[in-house]
Amino acid sequence: MSYNPDNVFAKILRGEIPCTKVYEDDHVLAFHDINPQAPVHVLVIPKGAYVSVNDFTATASDAEIAALIRALGRLAAELGVAEDGYRILANVGANGHQEVPHLHVHLCGGRPLGRMLPKAD
Ligand code: AMP
């Protein structure tokens, strides 16, 4: 899938629509999810035009990859969920139910989150 610059997170990065920012550096922006699924629900995105983990891991620089991972750990601590625990996940493609085609990592916490996936029958 090629990158579509009209996606909502690209618009946030260009400042065309607002977000509630919680962190920013040269490579990363993090903001509150508009429809939170937990008391803490933040989206952490690269500033570069990457659709998903597929192209990010294949073509992003080491600096971009390190910045995203470091931001996750830093934000977990700053948002107060590091001790009690939290979940990070990135949905990819149709089977992953990815809705926005710009790589984003969900960071959720602040309550027990249950099993990662429903039990298969
Ligand atoms: P995914 O299914 O992993 O693609 O999740 C997309 C996420 O983006 C959902 O949790 C949405 O609530 C969130 N979202 C969509 N539009 C916005 C927005 N304008 N600001 C913040 N979060 C958004």
Side-chain angles (χ1 to χ4, degrees), residues 21-112:
K21 183 167 73 175
V22 292
Y23 176 75
E24 182 171 16
D25 64 27
D26 287 349
H27 298 299
V28 174
L29 179 69
F31 50 90
H32 288 288
D33 195 291
I34 205 167
N35 183 24
Q37 304 298 308
V40 171
H41 187 170
V42 161
L43 300 173
V44 185
I45 70 172
K47 288 186 172 177
Y50 302 103
V51 175
S52 75
V53 167
N54 295 345
D55 53 343
F56 188 64
T57 55
T59 63
S61 67
D62 289 355
E64 290 175 293
I65 293 170
L68 190 78
I69 298 295
R70 288 195 191 283
L72 289 166
R74 174 181 175 148
L75 279 161
E78 288 182 359
L79 296 167
V81 298
E83 288 304 317
D84 288 344
Y86 57 97
R87 182 167 296 152
I88 56 175
L89 69 87
N91 295 318
V92 178
N95 280 2
H97 206 278
Q98 181 178 4
E99 292 177 345
V100 178
H102 181 114
L103 172 61
H104 49 287
V105 180
H106 298 256
L107 192 168
C108 298
R111 66 167 172 80

